[in-house]
Amino acid sequence: MKDEIIYLDNASTSFPKPETVYSETDTFLRNCGVNIGRGENRLEHEAAEKVLESRRRIARFFGIKDYRRLVFTYNATLALNLALKGGLKESDHLLVGPMQHNSVMRPLHALKERVTTSELRHNAKGLLDLNSLEEQITPQTKMVVINHASNVNGVIQPLSAIGRICREKELLLLVDASQSAGSIPIDIEECNIDLLAFTGHKGLLGPLGVGGLFVGERILLEPIIEGGTGFASEQERQPRNLPEGFEAGTRNTPAIIGLAEGISFIEEIGLPAISSHKSALIDRLKAGLEEVEDAEIYHSDSGCGESCGVLSFTVEGWKIEDIGKVLNSRDFVVRGGLQCAPHAHRALNTFPEGTIRVSPGYFSTEQDIDSFLQSVKEITVSKMYQT
Ligand SMILES: Cc1ncc(COP(=O)(O)O)c(C=O)c1O
């Protein structure tokens, strides 16, 4: 019997992080952890320089030419709220891609008096039907929002093709890259992305509490949070300058620095190696689950070896919370239920019970998967909690 925790919940947050993420965050906090834009001393200059360098490195990773167009937020949720609430105007129409997380659906619900939405068609695995994108455009359509990779079954949407259509039809493209960033290459120029929301603590291997929004030249955003910016303090109105006008209040500077280190680690290993490691683990997991009686597997990847490392399953006759409970009691960290994505579960026909989601990360091993499979087999054969 194993005695350590086996962490297979990297779609919630990656754990552990690369050593340099811990060490650089610690060094910053000890040596120059002061607030930036709030003083004229040597420590402040050093801290500001570190943030600038991190912003440049993170921007380069996504192919962003002008690093000032990268706004730091606290997570993808805030980035998506900013893109939707700050980017849409009265009577705008928005096309909603498949498999959205609540961080898109709830802001849209809050905007329902102001904007109208239509859901784009997709297949049974949640893959967008590209024809529907062209067919569902109306004269009021302003924006398309796409979840690049699902946090439920890992399905990856064809970003380049979507971007091409959006550019041809003069629509803004907002991409939620929360699950794909750090596993699948994203180039904002090549994919014609106008707004890219990402979170730092998942595949990008950074600390919790940092994310970002790329803001392209074709959109004029309104800030959704007002407060101190460290400049133009005499003005009552919130400045619109990118990025500072959209980063009111104290930033999570240690996390920004840690995120840049996470990205450097990814660049060193290489995205193809990370993606194929996750893909191999998912293949192993899938093959093992196929041997489990009455298991239904929910998984899809790009079909070309790219993977963000997410798979879900259910076992007929078992309540999700019961399997989750037993797995947790055996120290496997996986996530049961709706994973904050009821929209995706409706698409997969797994609403309202949800699924057990397993998401290995770069530091997961074949032994982790084998150990997990062995436990699932023992639990389901024993039928110990079956209802
Ligand atoms: C697809 C997707 N979008 C958005 C989010 C929100 O990320 P965060 O909680 O870091 O804001 C998540 C987190 O699980 C996600 O999986």
Side-chain angles (χ1 to χ4, degrees):
M1 179 82 178
K2 67 180 183 59
D3 54 9
E4 79 284 16
I5 282 190
I6 293 188
Y7 188 81
L8 294 170
D9 196 17
N10 289 273
S12 288
T13 195
S14 52
F15 180 76
K17 311 290 181 186
E19 259 323 299
T20 46
V21 172
Y22 300 125
S23 60
E24 287 302 308
T25 307
D26 184 75
T27 304
F28 173 78
L29 279 168
R30 287 177 199 283
N31 296 341
C32 71
V34 301
N35 217 340
I36 66 162
R38 309 290 196 266
E40 277 300 327
N41 54 75
R42 191 158 60 82
L43 280 182
E44 195 275 346
H45 284 303
E46 257 179 60
E49 195 50 46
K50 279 256 170 213
V51 170
L52 179 61
E53 188 207 326
S54 301
R55 200 188 296 273
R56 283 194 170 121
R57 277 158 68 187
I58 299 163
R60 206 180 317 123
F61 179 76
F62 290 113
I64 299 168
K65 289 200 180 104
D66 180 355
Y67 62 85
R68 287 168 305 187
R69 295 199 160 271
L70 172 58
V71 172
F72 285 127
T73 60
Y74 298 109
N75 44 42
T77 301
L78 183 53
L80 289 161
N81 270 267
L82 173 57
L84 294 166
K85 294 176 181 165
L88 291 168
K89 306 253 171 344
E90 193 76 37
S91 308
D92 280 344
H93 175 244
L94 178 120
L95 290 171
V96 182
M99 310 298 278
Q100 301 294 343
H101 188 267
N102 269 344
S103 52
V104 165
M105 298 314 283
R106 285 184 171 162
L108 287 182
H109 181 79
L111 286 170
K112 72 180 190 313
E113 308 297 329
R114 233 205 294 167
V115 305
T116 54
T117 60
S118 307
E119 298 215 1
L120 291 163
R121 290 194 299 272
H122 54 81
N123 70 12
K125 290 190 165 191
L127 185 69
L128 175 72
D129 170 358
L130 277 173
N131 292 330
S132 79
L133 181 48
E134 303 215 33
E135 288 163 17
Q136 289 180 252
I137 297 169
T138 73
Q140 281 70 43
T141 308
K142 175 166 182 195
M143 192 186 279
V144 174
V145 57
I146 291 292
N147 180 8
H148 189 195
S150 162
N151 65 318
V152 176
N153 72 340
V155 66
I156 299 165
Q157 306 296 342
L159 218 45
S160 307
I162 295 168
R164 211 172 308 122
I165 297 172
C166 288
R167 196 51 62 103
E168 271 168 28
K169 305 290 177 191
E170 297 185 3
L171 304 178
L172 295 171
L173 174 59
L174 163 60
V175 175
D176 175 1
S178 298
Q179 293 295 339
S180 55
S183 295
I184 299 160
I186 301 169
D187 187 305
I188 56 111
E189 297 275 334
E190 200 186 297
C191 296
N192 292 308
I193 296 169
D194 296 291
L195 293 154
L196 181 87
F198 64 90
T199 203
H201 65 104
K202 298 185 194 273
L204 292 174
L205 305 176
L208 300 142
V210 64
L213 180 70
F214 159 71
V215 184
E217 285 171 9
R218 299 195 312 152
I219 182 154
L220 216 54
L221 270 194
E222 282 298 309
I224 58 166
I225 293 179
E226 291 85 15
T229 50
F231 68 96
S233 300
E234 71 290 352
Q235 276 183 32
E236 280 192 35
R237 184 173 184 263
Q238 180 71 17
R240 265 64 179 156
N241 310 46
L242 279 166
E244 294 88 352
F246 297 84
E247 294 177 352
T250 299
R251 294 168 187 81
N252 190 348
T253 309
I256 292 171
I257 285 157
L259 171 57
E261 289 308 317
I263 286 182
S264 294
F265 178 87
I266 292 166
E267 287 173 331
E268 221 169 275
I269 305 292
L271 278 176
I274 291 173
S275 195
S276 72
H277 177 68
K278 290 183 183 175
S279 182
L281 294 180
I282 290 287
D283 286 350
R284 195 176 185 91
L285 178 64
K286 199 171 165 195
L289 286 172
E290 275 164 358
E291 292 167 9
V292 175
E293 208 183 328
D294 296 328
E296 182 87 34
I297 298 166
Y298 299 88
H299 173 68
S300 178
D301 54 28
S302 67
C304 52
E306 285 179 339
S307 172
C308 58
V310 176
L311 177 150
S312 273
F313 71 97
T314 55
V315 183
E316 209 189 313
W318 278 80
K319 277 191 183 162
I320 294 301
E321 64 172 298
D322 289 342
I323 313 184
K325 242 187 255 167
V326 191
L327 287 168
N328 281 331
S329 73
R330 291 181 173 218
D331 278 347
F332 291 101
V333 183
V334 292
R335 175 109 183 259
L338 294 175
Q339 297 99 16
C340 299
H343 185 252
H345 281 283
R346 283 198 173 93
L348 299 176
N349 250 329
T350 46
F351 184 86
E353 291 81 12
T355 54
I356 295 284
R357 180 185 69 191
V358 192
S359 51
Y362 179 69
F363 296 108
S364 305
T365 63
E366 288 185 349
Q367 288 87 330
D368 293 341
I369 300 296
D370 293 348
S371 185
F372 176 77
L373 287 168
Q374 191 190 328
S375 262
V376 171
K377 286 173 189 167
E378 283 168 14
I379 295 163
T380 50
V381 164
S382 75
K383 301 189 189 304
M384 57 206 277
Y385 273 73
Q386 197 168 19
T387 45

